[in-house]
Amino acid sequence: MYIPRANFTGDTKRIPEKKIIIFSGAGISQPSGISTFRDTDGLWENHKIEDICTESTWKKNFEDVHEFYNQRRVQLGEVQPNEAHKTVARIVEKYGAENVYNITQNVDDLFERAGVEALHVHGELRKMECEACGNQWDIEYFQFNTEHDRCPDCKSLKGVRPKIVFFGGQAPMYKYMLNAFDYTMNPDTIVVIVGTMGNVVAIEQMIMGTPCTCILNNMEKSVDLPEKLFDKIYYESCETAMLKIEKDIDELWNKTNS
């Protein structure tokens, strides 16, 4: 997904066109049955992050890394998009992909299966990549067998990894995410933050001091997302909150068009 830079044309009085920016984290996929970092029975409980999700150690822990992401990939094939994903898809259909930037920290494909494109800033679980030759391919919901599977192009084994942004690694999609938040300088832009505690991507810094309307949906408060930054807050399930937020967007967007 490509997000163009806002056009300020060097004129300090000019503001970019208004947009709807939806930024989601693990909480939006939780009702589908995908655990979050913070669950008591969560994905990471029996795994040290430095073993299975760190740029500097993944090759040393090659077998464990692939076993972990194989399990996540198989699980992904067994779950379905929930009402929050479907609501986002409906918002994009209603206002057009050119006006709605759907950005997610999640590596699942539940937005795509709900019928909407997403900018995945931390990678995509269904994809593999080869550091040896740069090849990328879709493995769907299958496991990568470290005994038999290889890169389809160069036949490397040790260069093959899940297409996931590990801690300490580069996140090339961040540049497009930052492009999107430039549009917050329009007071008619609407930003929706859903299902993230704000402690991985610094949302606070990206919306602080901007004139746009900001809406938050989480299950609970977070010290990294000060309430004073938001015009509306819903502490409840994303499935019920996104329906309310859809109505908020309808009212705000149509008001600025009237």
Side-chain angles (χ1 to χ4, degrees):
M1 181 179 182
Y2 171 75
I3 296 177
R5 297 188 64 181
N7 182 13
F8 293 96
T9 66
D11 184 348
T12 56
K13 295 182 179 180
R14 183 177 173 84
I15 58 175
E17 61 268 38
K18 68 177 183 177
K19 301 291 182 183
I20 300 166
I21 302 167
I22 302 173
F23 185 91
S24 61
I28 201 169
S29 293
Q30 190 173 21
S32 294
I34 296 180
S35 300
T36 69
F37 276 116
R38 304 180 68 257
D39 287 346
T40 56
D41 58 348
L43 299 179
W44 312 91
E45 186 177 79
N46 297 317
H47 299 271
K48 294 180 180 179
I49 289 177
E50 58 266 28
D51 291 340
I52 46 83
C53 196
T54 302
E55 189 69 26
S56 61
T57 61
W58 77 270
K59 287 186 177 180
K60 182 177 70 174
N61 302 308
F62 188 80
E63 298 288 342
D64 290 340
V65 167
H66 280 289
E67 180 182 1
F68 178 81
Y69 287 100
N70 281 341
Q71 292 173 359
R72 308 285 75 75
R73 203 176 297 113
V74 170
Q75 181 202 28
L76 178 57
E78 297 171 348
V79 301
Q80 297 297 327
N82 61 58
E83 289 304 316
H85 296 109
K86 295 174 184 177
T87 302
V88 172
R90 189 164 57 246
I91 291 169
V92 174
E93 181 178 11
K94 187 185 303 183
Y95 295 104
E98 71 279 6
N99 291 318
V100 185
Y101 296 145
N102 181 32
I103 307 167
T104 187
Q105 296 179 110
N106 298 341
V107 298
D108 62 59
D109 66 344
L110 296 181
F111 275 122
E112 285 78 6
R113 286 157 61 187
V116 62
E117 188 178 7
L119 177 70
H120 293 270
V121 296
H122 291 155
E124 298 177 71
L125 187 56
R126 282 184 52 179
K127 294 184 179 180
M128 307 293 288
E129 61 182 347
C130 177
E131 288 192 345
C133 70
N135 182 35
Q136 297 183 8
W137 66 99
D138 194 335
I139 196 173
E140 298 184 358
Y141 308 107
F142 296 108
Q143 300 190 38
F144 181 81
N145 188 315
T146 55
E147 292 185 7
H148 306 293
D149 293 342
R150 299 289 186 273
C151 169
D153 279 8
C154 73
K155 310 307 177 186
S156 171
L157 170 60
K158 291 298 184 178
V160 176
R161 57 182 285 172
K163 192 176 185 301
I164 302 294
V165 175
F166 291 156
F167 289 98
Q170 295 184 346
M173 294 298 105
Y174 271 34
K175 64 180 179 181
Y176 298 123
M177 173 185 72
L178 295 174
N179 283 353
F181 279 89
D182 281 346
Y183 292 90
T184 59
M185 297 311 296
N186 187 321
D188 294 329
T189 285
I190 305 163
V191 176
V192 178
I193 308 298
V194 51
T196 177
M197 302 304 286
N199 54 4
V200 176
V201 174
I203 295 296
E204 177 184 3
Q205 296 179 19
M206 292 193 287
I207 62 175
M208 183 183 296
T210 60
C212 63
T213 297
C214 297
I215 303 172
L216 173 66
N217 166 226
N218 267 334
M219 290 296 291
E220 58 188 288
K221 297 180 181 181
S222 169
V223 295
D224 295 302
L225 294 172
E227 292 184 332
K228 64 182 180 181
L229 297 179
F230 296 92
D231 300 278
K232 283 195 173 185
I233 298 175
Y234 298 97
Y235 290 128
E236 61 185 88
S237 166
C238 61
E239 293 194 285
T240 57
M242 282 306 303
L243 292 173
K244 298 174 183 178
I245 291 170
E246 181 182 14
K247 293 180 180 178
D248 292 336
I249 291 172
D250 291 342
E251 179 180 344
L252 290 164
W253 190 270
N254 293 327
K255 180 179 179 181
T256 60
N257 281 338
S258 60

